[in-house]
Coordinates of all heavy atoms in Angstrom, one line a residue:
M1 N 71.9 130.9 13.4 CA 72.8 131.7 14.1 C 72.9 131.2 15.6 O 71.9 130.9 16.2 CB 72.4 133.2 14.1 CG 73.5 134.1 14.5 SD 72.9 135.8 14.6 CE 72.5 136.2 12.9
D2 N 74.1 131.0 16.1 CA 74.3 130.5 17.4 C 73.9 131.6 18.5 O 74.3 132.7 18.3 CB 75.7 130.0 17.7 CG 76.0 128.7 17.0 OD1 75.0 128.0 16.7 OD2 77.1 128.4 16.7
H3 N 73.3 131.2 19.5 CA 73.1 132.1 20.6 C 74.0 131.6 21.8 O 73.8 130.6 22.3 CB 71.6 132.2 21.0 CG 70.8 133.0 20.1 ND1 70.6 134.3 20.3 CD2 70.3 132.7 18.9 CE1 69.9 134.8 19.2 NE2 69.7 133.8 18.4
L4 N 74.9 132.5 22.1 CA 75.9 132.2 23.1 C 75.7 133.0 24.3 O 75.0 134.1 24.3 CB 77.3 132.4 22.5 CG 77.5 131.7 21.2 CD1 78.6 132.4 20.4 CD2 77.9 130.3 21.5
T5 N 76.2 132.6 25.5 CA 76.2 133.4 26.7 C 77.6 133.9 27.0 O 78.5 133.0 27.1 CB 75.6 132.6 27.9 OG1 74.3 132.2 27.5 CG2 75.5 133.5 29.1
C6 N 77.8 135.1 27.2 CA 79.1 135.7 27.5 C 79.5 135.2 28.8 O 78.8 135.3 29.8 CB 79.1 137.2 27.4 SG 80.7 137.9 27.9
Q7 N 80.7 134.6 28.9 CA 81.2 134.0 30.2 C 81.9 135.1 31.1 O 82.5 134.8 32.0 CB 82.2 132.9 29.9 CG 81.6 131.7 29.2 CD 80.6 131.0 30.0 OE1 80.9 130.6 31.1 NE2 79.4 130.8 29.5
S8 N 81.7 136.4 30.7 CA 82.1 137.5 31.5 C 80.9 138.3 32.0 O 80.7 138.4 33.3 CB 83.1 138.4 30.8 OG 83.3 139.6 31.5
C9 N 80.1 138.8 31.1 CA 79.0 139.7 31.5 C 77.7 138.9 31.7 O 76.7 139.5 32.2 CB 78.8 140.9 30.6 SG 78.3 140.4 28.9
G10 N 77.6 137.7 31.2 CA 76.4 136.9 31.4 C 75.3 137.2 30.4 O 74.2 136.6 30.5
L11 N 75.5 138.1 29.5 CA 74.5 138.5 28.6 C 74.6 137.6 27.3 O 75.7 137.2 26.9 CB 74.6 139.9 28.2 CG 74.4 140.9 29.4 CD1 74.6 142.3 28.9 CD2 73.0 140.8 29.9
P12 N 73.4 137.3 26.7 CA 73.4 136.5 25.5 C 74.1 137.4 24.3 O 73.9 138.6 24.3 CB 72.0 136.3 25.2 CG 71.2 137.3 26.0 CD 72.1 137.7 27.1
F13 N 74.7 136.7 23.4 CA 75.3 137.4 22.2 C 75.3 136.4 21.1 O 75.2 135.2 21.2 CB 76.7 137.9 22.5 CG 77.8 136.9 22.7 CD1 78.7 136.6 21.7 CD2 77.9 136.3 24.0 CE1 79.7 135.7 21.9 CE2 78.9 135.3 24.1 CZ 79.8 135.0 23.1
T14 N 75.5 136.9 19.9 CA 75.6 136.1 18.7 C 77.0 136.2 18.1 O 77.8 137.0 18.5 CB 74.6 136.6 17.6 OG1 74.9 138.0 17.3 CG2 73.2 136.6 18.1
N15 N 77.3 135.4 17.1 CA 78.6 135.4 16.5 C 79.0 136.7 15.9 O 80.2 137.1 15.9 CB 78.7 134.4 15.3 CG 78.7 132.9 15.9 OD1 77.7 132.3 15.9 ND2 79.9 132.5 16.3
E16 N 78.0 137.5 15.6 CA 78.3 138.9 15.0 C 79.0 139.8 16.0 O 79.8 140.7 15.6 CB 77.0 139.6 14.6 CG 76.5 139.1 13.2 CD 75.1 139.6 12.9 OE1 74.7 140.6 13.5 OE2 74.5 138.9 12.1
I17 N 78.8 139.5 17.3 CA 79.4 140.4 18.3 C 80.3 139.5 19.2 O 80.4 139.9 20.4 CB 78.5 141.3 19.1 CG1 77.4 140.5 19.8 CG2 77.9 142.4 18.2 CD1 76.7 141.2 20.9
S18 N 80.8 138.4 18.7 CA 81.6 137.6 19.6 C 83.0 138.3 19.8 O 83.5 139.0 18.9 CB 81.8 136.2 19.0 OG 82.5 136.2 17.8
G19 N 83.6 137.9 20.9 CA 84.9 138.5 21.2 C 86.0 138.0 20.2 O 85.7 137.1 19.5
T20 N 87.2 138.6 20.2 CA 88.2 138.2 19.3 C 89.5 137.7 20.1 O 89.8 138.3 21.1 CB 88.6 139.3 18.4 OG1 88.9 140.5 19.1 CG2 87.5 139.6 17.4
N21 N 90.1 136.7 19.5 CA 91.4 136.2 20.1 C 92.5 137.1 19.5 O 92.3 137.9 18.7 CB 91.6 134.8 19.7 CG 90.6 133.9 20.4 OD1 90.3 134.0 21.5 ND2 90.0 133.0 19.6
R22 N 93.7 136.9 20.1 CA 94.9 137.7 19.7 C 95.1 137.6 18.1 O 95.5 138.5 17.5 CB 96.1 137.1 20.4 CG 97.3 138.1 20.4 CD 98.3 137.7 21.4 NE 97.8 137.8 22.8 CZ 98.0 138.9 23.5 NH1 98.6 140.0 23.0 NH2 97.5 139.0 24.8
D23 N 94.8 136.4 17.6 CA 95.0 136.2 16.1 C 93.7 136.7 15.3 O 93.6 136.4 14.1 CB 95.4 134.8 15.8 CG 94.3 133.8 16.2 OD1 93.2 134.3 16.7 OD2 94.5 132.6 16.1
E24 N 92.8 137.4 16.0 CA 91.6 137.9 15.4 C 90.6 136.9 15.0 O 89.6 137.2 14.4 CB 91.9 138.8 14.1 CG 92.8 140.0 14.4 CD 92.2 140.9 15.5 OE1 91.0 141.2 15.4 OE2 92.9 141.4 16.4
S25 N 90.8 135.6 15.4 CA 89.7 134.6 15.3 C 88.7 134.9 16.3 O 88.9 135.6 17.3 CB 90.3 133.2 15.4 OG 90.9 133.0 16.7
E26 N 87.5 134.2 16.1 CA 86.4 134.5 17.0 C 86.6 133.7 18.3 O 87.0 132.6 18.3 CB 85.1 134.0 16.4 CG 84.5 135.0 15.4 CD 83.2 134.6 14.9 OE1 82.6 133.6 15.4 OE2 82.7 135.2 13.9
N27 N 86.2 134.4 19.4 CA 86.2 133.7 20.7 C 84.7 133.6 21.1 O 84.0 134.6 21.3 CB 86.9 134.6 21.7 CG 87.1 133.9 23.1 OD1 86.1 133.4 23.7 ND2 88.3 133.7 23.5
E28 N 84.3 132.3 21.2 CA 82.8 132.1 21.5 C 82.5 132.1 23.0 O 81.4 131.8 23.3 CB 82.4 130.8 20.8 CG 82.5 130.9 19.3 CD 81.7 129.9 18.5 OE1 81.5 128.8 19.1 OE2 81.4 130.1 17.4
D29 N 83.4 132.3 23.8 CA 83.2 132.4 25.2 C 82.7 133.7 25.7 O 82.0 133.9 26.7 CB 84.4 132.0 26.1 CG 84.6 130.5 26.1 OD1 83.7 129.8 25.9 OD2 85.7 130.1 26.4
Y30 N 83.2 134.8 25.0 CA 82.9 136.1 25.4 C 82.4 137.0 24.3 O 82.8 136.8 23.1 CB 84.2 136.8 26.0 CG 84.9 136.0 27.1 CD1 86.0 135.2 26.9 CD2 84.3 136.0 28.3 CE1 86.6 134.5 27.9 CE2 84.9 135.2 29.4 CZ 86.0 134.5 29.1 OH 86.6 133.8 30.2
C31 N 81.7 138.0 24.7 CA 81.2 139.0 23.7 C 82.3 140.1 23.5 O 83.2 140.2 24.3 CB 79.9 139.7 24.1 SG 80.0 140.9 25.4
V32 N 82.1 140.8 22.4 CA 83.2 141.8 22.0 C 83.3 142.9 23.0 O 84.3 143.6 23.1 CB 82.9 142.3 20.6 CG1 81.7 143.3 20.5 CG2 84.2 143.0 20.0
H33 N 82.2 143.2 23.8 CA 82.2 144.2 24.8 C 83.1 143.9 26.0 O 83.6 144.7 26.7 CB 80.8 144.5 25.3 CG 79.9 144.8 24.2 ND1 80.0 146.0 23.4 CD2 78.8 144.2 23.8 CE1 79.0 146.0 22.5 NE2 78.3 144.9 22.7
C34 N 83.4 142.6 26.1 CA 84.2 142.1 27.3 C 85.6 141.6 26.9 O 86.5 141.7 27.6 CB 83.5 140.9 27.9 SG 81.9 141.4 28.7
F35 N 85.7 141.1 25.7 CA 86.9 140.4 25.3 C 87.3 140.8 23.8 O 86.6 140.5 22.9 CB 86.7 138.9 25.4 CG 88.0 138.1 25.5 CD1 88.7 138.0 26.7 CD2 88.5 137.4 24.4 CE1 89.9 137.3 26.7 CE2 89.6 136.7 24.4 CZ 90.3 136.6 25.6
E36 N 88.5 141.4 23.7 CA 88.9 141.8 22.3 C 90.4 141.6 22.2 O 91.2 141.9 23.1 CB 88.6 143.3 22.2 CG 88.0 143.6 20.8 CD 87.6 145.1 20.7 OE1 87.6 145.8 21.7 OE2 87.3 145.5 19.6
H37 N 90.8 141.1 21.0 CA 92.2 140.9 20.8 C 92.9 140.1 21.8 O 94.1 140.3 22.2 CB 93.0 142.2 20.6 CG 92.3 143.2 19.7 ND1 91.8 142.9 18.4 CD2 91.8 144.5 20.0 CE1 91.2 144.0 17.9 NE2 91.2 144.9 18.8
G38 N 92.2 139.1 22.4 CA 92.8 138.1 23.3 C 92.9 138.7 24.7 O 93.6 138.0 25.6
E39 N 92.3 139.8 25.0 CA 92.3 140.4 26.4 C 91.0 140.8 26.8 O 90.2 141.3 26.0 CB 93.3 141.6 26.4 CG 94.7 141.2 26.3 CD 95.6 142.4 26.3 OE1 95.1 143.5 26.1 OE2 96.8 142.2 26.6
F40 N 90.8 140.9 28.1 CA 89.5 141.5 28.6 C 89.6 143.0 28.4 O 90.6 143.6 28.7 CB 89.4 141.2 30.1 CG 88.9 139.7 30.4 CD1 89.8 138.9 31.1 CD2 87.7 139.3 30.0 CE1 89.4 137.6 31.3 CE2 87.3 138.0 30.2 CZ 88.2 137.1 30.9
V41 N 88.5 143.5 27.9 CA 88.4 145.0 27.7 C 88.7 145.8 28.9 O 89.4 146.7 29.0 CB 87.1 145.3 27.0 CG1 86.9 146.8 26.9 CG2 87.0 144.7 25.6
D42 N 88.0 145.4 30.0 CA 88.1 146.0 31.3 C 88.7 145.0 32.3 O 88.0 144.3 32.9 CB 86.8 146.5 31.8 CG 86.9 147.3 33.1 OD1 88.0 147.4 33.6 OD2 85.9 147.9 33.6
Q43 N 90.0 145.1 32.4 CA 90.7 144.0 33.2 C 90.5 144.3 34.7 O 90.7 143.4 35.5 CB 92.2 144.0 32.9 CG 92.4 143.6 31.4 CD 93.8 143.2 31.1 OE1 94.6 142.9 32.0 NE2 94.2 143.2 29.9
S44 N 90.1 145.5 35.1 CA 90.0 145.8 36.5 C 88.6 145.5 37.0 O 88.2 145.7 38.1 CB 90.4 147.2 36.8 OG 89.5 148.1 36.1
L45 N 87.7 145.1 36.0 CA 86.3 144.8 36.4 C 86.2 143.7 37.4 O 86.9 142.7 37.3 CB 85.5 144.4 35.1 CG 84.0 144.2 35.3 CD1 83.4 145.6 35.5 CD2 83.4 143.6 34.1
T46 N 85.4 143.9 38.5 CA 85.2 142.9 39.5 C 83.8 142.4 39.4 O 82.9 143.0 38.7 CB 85.4 143.5 40.9 OG1 84.4 144.6 41.1 CG2 86.7 144.1 41.1
L47 N 83.5 141.3 40.0 CA 82.2 140.7 40.0 C 81.2 141.7 40.6 O 80.1 141.9 40.0 CB 82.2 139.4 40.9 CG 81.0 138.5 40.8 CD1 80.6 138.2 39.4 CD2 81.2 137.3 41.6
H48 N 81.6 142.4 41.6 CA 80.6 143.4 42.2 C 80.4 144.6 41.3 O 79.3 145.0 41.1 CB 81.2 143.9 43.5 CG 80.3 145.0 44.2 ND1 79.1 144.7 44.7 CD2 80.5 146.3 44.3 CE1 78.5 145.8 45.1 NE2 79.4 146.8 44.9
G49 N 81.5 145.0 40.6 CA 81.4 146.1 39.7 C 80.4 145.8 38.5 O 79.7 146.6 38.0
L50 N 80.5 144.5 38.1 CA 79.6 144.0 37.0 C 78.2 144.0 37.5 O 77.3 144.4 36.7 CB 80.1 142.6 36.6 CG 79.4 142.0 35.4 CD1 79.5 142.9 34.2 CD2 80.0 140.7 35.1
E51 N 77.9 143.6 38.7 CA 76.6 143.6 39.2 C 76.0 145.0 39.2 O 74.8 145.2 38.8 CB 76.6 143.1 40.7 CG 76.8 141.6 40.8 CD 76.9 141.1 42.2 OE1 76.7 141.9 43.1 OE2 77.3 139.9 42.4
V52 N 76.8 146.0 39.6 CA 76.3 147.4 39.6 C 76.0 147.8 38.2 O 75.0 148.4 38.0 CB 77.4 148.3 40.2 CG1 77.1 149.7 40.1 CG2 77.6 147.9 41.7
K53 N 76.9 147.4 37.3 CA 76.7 147.8 35.9 C 75.4 147.2 35.3 O 74.7 147.9 34.6 CB 77.9 147.3 35.1 CG 78.2 148.1 33.9 CD 79.6 147.6 33.4 CE 79.7 147.7 31.9 NZ 81.0 147.2 31.4
L54 N 75.1 146.0 35.6 CA 73.9 145.3 35.1 C 72.6 146.0 35.7 O 71.7 146.2 35.0 CB 73.9 143.8 35.4 CG 74.9 143.0 34.6 CD1 75.1 141.6 35.3 CD2 74.4 142.8 33.2
V55 N 72.7 146.3 37.0 CA 71.5 147.0 37.6 C 71.3 148.4 36.9 O 70.2 148.8 36.6 CB 71.7 147.2 39.1 CG1 70.7 148.1 39.7 CG2 71.7 145.8 39.8
E56 N 72.4 149.1 36.6 CA 72.4 150.4 35.9 C 71.8 150.2 34.5 O 71.0 151.0 34.1 CB 73.8 151.0 35.8 CG 74.1 151.8 37.0 CD 75.5 152.4 36.9 OE1 76.1 152.4 35.7 OE2 76.0 152.9 37.9
M57 N 72.2 149.2 33.8 CA 71.7 148.9 32.5 C 70.2 148.7 32.5 O 69.5 149.2 31.6 CB 72.3 147.6 31.9 CG 73.7 147.9 31.3 SD 74.5 146.3 30.8 CE 73.5 145.9 29.4
A58 N 69.7 148.1 33.6 CA 68.3 147.8 33.7 C 67.5 149.1 34.1 O 66.5 149.4 33.6 CB 68.0 146.7 34.7
E59 N 68.1 149.8 35.0 CA 67.4 151.0 35.6 C 67.5 152.2 34.8 O 66.5 153.0 34.7 CB 67.8 151.2 37.0 CG 67.3 150.1 37.9 CD 67.7 150.4 39.4 OE1 68.5 151.3 39.7 OE2 67.1 149.6 40.2
M60 N 68.6 152.5 34.2 CA 68.8 153.8 33.6 C 68.7 153.7 32.0 O 68.3 154.6 31.4 CB 70.2 154.3 33.9 CG 70.5 154.1 35.4 SD 71.0 155.6 36.3 CE 72.7 155.4 36.4
H61 N 69.2 152.6 31.5 CA 69.2 152.6 30.0 C 68.2 151.6 29.4 O 68.1 151.6 28.2 CB 70.6 152.1 29.5 CG 71.7 152.9 30.2 ND1 71.9 154.2 30.0 CD2 72.6 152.5 31.1 CE1 73.0 154.6 30.8 NE2 73.4 153.6 31.4
N62 N 67.5 150.9 30.2 CA 66.5 150.0 29.7 C 67.0 149.0 28.7 O 66.3 148.6 27.8 CB 65.3 150.7 29.2 CG 64.5 151.4 30.3 OD1 64.3 150.8 31.4 ND2 64.1 152.6 30.1
E63 N 68.3 148.7 28.7 CA 68.8 147.7 27.8 C 68.4 146.3 28.1 O 68.3 145.5 27.2 CB 70.4 147.8 27.8 CG 70.9 149.1 27.1 CD 72.4 149.2 27.3 OE1 73.1 148.4 26.7 OE2 72.8 150.1 28.1
I64 N 68.2 146.0 29.4 CA 67.7 144.8 29.8 C 66.6 145.1 30.8 O 66.6 146.2 31.4 CB 68.7 143.8 30.4 CG1 69.5 144.6 31.5 CG2 69.7 143.3 29.3 CD1 70.5 143.6 32.2
T65 N 65.7 144.1 31.1 CA 64.7 144.4 32.1 C 65.3 144.0 33.5 O 66.4 143.4 33.6 CB 63.5 143.5 31.9 OG1 63.9 142.1 32.1 CG2 62.9 143.7 30.5
R66 N 64.7 144.5 34.5 CA 65.1 144.2 35.9 C 65.2 142.7 36.2 O 66.1 142.2 36.8 CB 64.2 144.9 36.9 CG 64.9 145.7 37.9 CD 64.0 146.1 39.1 NE 64.8 145.8 40.3 CZ 65.8 146.6 40.8 NH1 66.1 147.7 40.1 NH2 66.4 146.3 41.9
E67 N 64.1 142.1 35.7 CA 64.1 140.6 35.8 C 65.3 139.9 35.2 O 65.9 139.0 35.8 CB 62.8 140.0 35.2 CG 61.5 140.4 36.0 CD 61.1 141.9 35.9 OE1 61.4 142.5 34.8 OE2 60.5 142.4 36.8
E68 N 65.6 140.4 34.0 CA 66.8 139.8 33.3 C 68.0 140.1 34.1 O 68.9 139.2 34.2 CB 66.9 140.4 31.9 CG 66.0 139.8 30.9 CD 65.9 140.6 29.5 OE1 66.2 141.8 29.5 OE2 65.6 139.9 28.5
A69 N 68.2 141.3 34.6 CA 69.4 141.6 35.4 C 69.5 140.7 36.6 O 70.6 140.2 36.9 CB 69.3 143.1 35.8
V70 N 68.4 140.4 37.3 CA 68.4 139.6 38.5 C 68.9 138.2 38.1 O 69.7 137.6 38.8 CB 67.0 139.6 39.1 CG1 66.9 138.5 40.2 CG2 66.7 140.9 39.7
I71 N 68.3 137.7 37.0 CA 68.7 136.3 36.6 C 70.2 136.3 36.2 O 70.9 135.4 36.6 CB 67.8 135.9 35.3 CG1 66.4 135.7 35.8 CG2 68.4 134.6 34.7 CD1 65.4 135.7 34.6
V72 N 70.6 137.2 35.4 CA 72.0 137.3 35.0 C 73.0 137.4 36.2 O 74.0 136.6 36.3 CB 72.3 138.5 34.0 CG1 73.8 138.6 33.8 CG2 71.6 138.2 32.7
I73 N 72.6 138.2 37.2 CA 73.5 138.4 38.4 C 73.6 137.1 39.2 O 74.6 136.8 39.7 CB 72.9 139.6 39.2 CG1 73.2 140.9 38.5 CG2 73.5 139.6 40.6 CD1 72.5 142.1 39.1
R74 N 72.5 136.4 39.2 CA 72.5 135.1 40.0 C 73.4 134.1 39.3 O 74.0 133.3 40.0 CB 71.0 134.6 40.0 CG 70.8 133.7 41.2 CD 69.4 133.1 41.1 NE 68.3 134.1 41.2 CZ 67.2 134.0 40.5 NH1 66.9 133.1 39.7 NH2 66.3 135.0 40.7
E75 N 73.5 134.2 38.0 CA 74.4 133.2 37.3 C 75.8 133.6 37.2 O 76.7 132.8 36.9 CB 73.8 133.1 35.8 CG 72.4 132.5 35.7 CD 72.3 131.1 36.3 OE1 73.2 130.3 36.1 OE2 71.3 130.8 36.9
L76 N 76.1 134.9 37.5 CA 77.5 135.4 37.3 C 78.6 134.5 37.9 O 79.6 134.2 37.3 CB 77.6 136.8 37.8 CG 77.0 137.9 36.9 CD1 77.2 139.3 37.5 CD2 77.5 137.9 35.5
P77 N 78.4 134.1 39.2 CA 79.5 133.4 39.9 C 79.9 132.1 39.2 O 81.0 131.5 39.5 CB 79.0 133.1 41.3 CG 77.9 134.1 41.5 CD 77.3 134.3 40.1
Y78 N 79.0 131.6 38.3 CA 79.3 130.3 37.7 C 79.9 130.4 36.3 O 80.3 129.5 35.7 CB 77.9 129.5 37.5 CG 77.3 129.3 38.9 CD1 76.2 130.1 39.2 CD2 77.7 128.4 39.8 CE1 75.6 130.0 40.5 CE2 77.1 128.3 41.0 CZ 76.1 129.1 41.4 OH 75.5 129.0 42.6
L79 N 80.0 131.7 35.9 CA 80.6 131.9 34.5 C 82.2 131.7 34.6 O 82.8 131.9 35.7 CB 80.3 133.3 34.1 CG 78.8 133.6 33.9 CD1 78.6 135.0 33.5 CD2 78.2 132.7 32.9
K80 N 82.7 131.4 33.5 CA 84.2 131.0 33.4 C 85.1 132.1 34.0 O 86.0 131.9 34.8 CB 84.6 130.9 31.9 CG 84.7 129.4 31.5 CD 85.3 129.3 30.1 CE 84.7 128.1 29.5 NZ 85.1 128.0 28.1
R81 N 84.8 133.4 33.7 CA 85.7 134.5 34.2 C 85.7 134.6 35.7 O 86.7 134.9 36.3 CB 85.2 135.8 33.5 CG 86.2 136.9 34.0 CD 85.9 138.2 33.2 NE 86.8 139.2 33.7 CZ 86.8 140.5 33.2 NH1 85.9 140.9 32.4 NH2 87.7 141.4 33.7
W82 N 84.5 134.4 36.3 CA 84.4 134.6 37.7 C 84.5 133.3 38.6 O 84.8 133.4 39.7 CB 83.0 135.3 38.0 CG 82.8 136.4 37.1 CD1 81.9 136.6 36.1 CD2 83.6 137.7 37.1 NE1 82.1 137.8 35.4 CE2 83.1 138.4 36.1 CE3 84.6 138.2 37.9 CZ2 83.6 139.7 35.8 CZ3 85.1 139.4 37.6 CH2 84.6 140.2 36.5
H83 N 84.3 132.2 37.9 CA 84.3 131.0 38.6 C 85.7 130.8 39.3 O 85.9 130.3 40.4 CB 84.1 129.8 37.6 CG 83.8 128.5 38.2 ND1 82.8 128.3 39.1 CD2 84.5 127.3 38.1 CE1 82.8 127.0 39.5 NE2 83.8 126.4 38.9
M84 N 86.7 131.1 38.5 CA 88.1 130.9 39.0 C 88.4 131.8 40.2 O 89.1 131.4 41.1 CB 89.1 131.3 37.9 CG 89.1 130.3 36.8 SD 90.3 130.8 35.5 CE 89.3 132.0 34.6
N85 N 87.9 133.0 40.2 CA 88.2 134.0 41.3 C 87.6 133.6 42.6 O 88.2 134.0 43.7 CB 87.6 135.3 40.9 CG 88.4 135.9 39.7 OD1 89.3 135.4 39.3 ND2 87.9 137.1 39.3
I86 N 86.6 132.8 42.7 CA 86.0 132.5 44.0 C 86.5 131.1 44.5 O 86.1 130.7 45.6 CB 84.4 132.5 43.9 CG1 83.9 131.6 42.8 CG2 83.9 133.9 43.9 CD1 82.4 131.5 42.8
M87 N 87.3 130.4 43.7 CA 87.8 129.2 44.2 C 89.1 129.4 45.0 O 89.8 130.3 44.9 CB 88.2 128.3 43.0 CG 87.0 128.0 42.1 SD 86.4 126.3 42.1 CE 87.7 125.6 41.2
Ligands
ZN1 ZN1 80.3 140.1 27.7

């Protein structure tokens, strides 16, 4: 099974939860939580909003550890979705 990194939220994902293109084929750049049917699920999401969300995931829901959140947040500006915005 391939382990991919979502180019929007920065979290690892597998083909089972990969995003979908408009033609319902798999999109291996994004996870299904970020990208579905050829569009971003939350189009108004900003880089800052995402940072807040990741910290919340670590602190309130324990879905990821604080250390993981810090690493992911550091990598966010280099991901495809956000790379374009800062250029
Ligand atoms: Zn994602």
Side-chain angles (χ1 to χ4, degrees):
M1 199 185 292
D2 285 340
H3 283 264
L4 306 156
T5 300
C6 177
Q7 296 295 307
S8 169
C9 66
L11 296 174
F13 68 100
T14 60
N15 286 100
E16 278 169 25
I17 57 157
S18 66
T20 51
N21 295 312
R22 200 167 288 273
D23 61 4
E24 298 304 315
S25 61
E26 278 183 15
N27 185 305
E28 297 197 335
D29 279 341
Y30 304 106
C31 74
V32 72
H33 305 296
C34 293
F35 198 78
E36 223 177 350
H37 315 305
E39 288 179 343
F40 285 116
V41 173
D42 184 355
Q43 296 195 20
S44 62
L45 186 69
T46 61
L47 190 52
H48 178 69
L50 185 56
E51 286 173 8
V52 172
K53 209 167 147 182
L54 286 165
V55 171
E56 271 179 12
M57 277 173 74
E59 288 185 349
M60 320 234 255
H61 311 292
N62 291 319
E63 288 171 67
I64 53 173
T65 65
R66 231 195 131 77
E67 288 72 30
E68 280 170 334
V70 169
I71 294 166
V72 170
I73 287 169
R74 204 184 296 146
E75 297 297 323
L76 288 180
Y78 305 102
L79 299 177
K80 263 186 206 172
R81 183 173 181 183
W82 310 111
H83 193 61
M84 287 178 283
N85 291 355
I86 50 173
M87 301 247 289

